[in-house]
Amino acid sequence: MIKGINLGSGGAEWWAPPGWQSLDASTGFLIDEGTVLPYEDGALENVYSCHFYEHISDRTALNLLKESYRVLCNGGVMRIAVPDFAQFVEKYKENDIEWYTVTVDFLGRQDWDNYGVERGEITNLMLHFLANYDFDGPNGFYRGGPIELTQRPDKVRAMAESLSIGEFCNWVHSFVPVGDWRVSSG
């Protein structure tokens, strides 16, 4: 009997405690705005998701929340962990490169080189976490923030300084190429 599920788990090979099932494209379960979870109403005690919701569309997220509510038993628990975007932006505004490279332990991705996106540069690190998308473009695979913004760090900094967190996030997200992105696992 399944007592809980991990949505967007990145694969069962690293997260599959007894009684749990991992649901992710890597385990053969595609999650999108039309997903119907394969469980009866009220069948599960737990629904868990860690660093997945920030990679899906609002419609997919809303659908998953409704589906999770449907499959949870009375008194069931749903836990969702997502990045604290405000903290990512505040550390960026403080120019705290050590927080990104040591605390978060991220220096960038090798595929950035193919698109002229500098690894270890604080704007690119912040954009990666704020608006990460996957792109199969003319120079191969890319996962990171909007390429156009990685080439304009002064503009990004000015916008971060002048907008609220929500407005800044919306501005950054407006540069993610519509139609060219797909859900990524982080």
Side-chain angles (χ1 to χ4, degrees):
M1 173 174 167
I2 301 297
K3 73 177 210 173
I5 57 174
N6 182 348
L7 295 172
S9 61
E13 65 277 357
W14 68 270
W15 198 94
W20 284 71
Q21 186 172 26
S22 296
L23 298 180
D24 185 270
S26 66
T27 64
F29 190 84
L30 181 63
I31 298 173
D32 61 23
E33 64 190 52
T35 294
V36 175
L37 296 176
Y39 307 99
E40 298 292 324
D41 295 0
L44 301 176
E45 297 174 20
N46 301 282
V47 174
Y48 174 78
S49 184
C50 183
H51 292 274
F52 174 68
Y53 271 79
E54 69 270 20
H55 298 286
I56 59 178
S57 71
D58 290 349
R59 290 193 306 212
T60 298
L62 182 58
N63 178 62
L64 280 180
L65 291 171
K66 289 177 181 177
E67 274 296 292
S68 295
Y69 181 78
R70 180 186 66 77
V71 300
L72 279 170
C73 66
N74 190 19
V77 175
M78 181 171 191
R79 291 181 189 237
I80 301 172
V82 294
D84 182 348
F85 288 160
Q87 185 175 31
F88 279 91
V89 174
E90 287 306 316
K91 293 297 184 180
Y92 170 71
K93 288 165 57 173
E94 294 168 7
N95 208 34
D96 191 347
I97 189 71
E98 185 175 319
W99 183 81
Y100 280 91
T101 59
V102 176
T103 305
V104 178
D105 192 23
F106 185 68
L107 297 171
R109 294 177 45 89
Q110 187 172 359
D111 52 87
W112 291 6
D113 298 342
N114 299 333
Y115 290 89
V117 177
E118 183 182 345
R119 288 189 268 168
E121 199 280 322
I122 194 166
T123 301
N124 300 336
L125 300 177
M126 182 269 304
L127 290 171
H128 173 78
F129 289 101
L130 211 61
N132 180 352
Y133 70 101
D134 289 354
F135 175 64
D136 286 315
N139 300 329
F141 179 79
Y142 171 82
R143 176 179 292 159
I147 295 171
E148 179 180 346
L149 293 181
T150 66
Q151 309 305 319
R152 302 172 61 199
D154 292 341
K155 176 70 173 175
V156 173
R157 181 146 318 263
M159 296 302 280
E161 297 291 344
S162 66
L163 299 174
S164 71
I165 298 290
E167 291 168 332
F168 179 67
C169 288
N170 287 338
W171 178 77
V172 168
H173 291 159
S174 75
F175 286 87
V176 173
V178 176
D180 288 338
W181 67 279
R182 66 176 188 264
V183 173
S184 65
S185 300

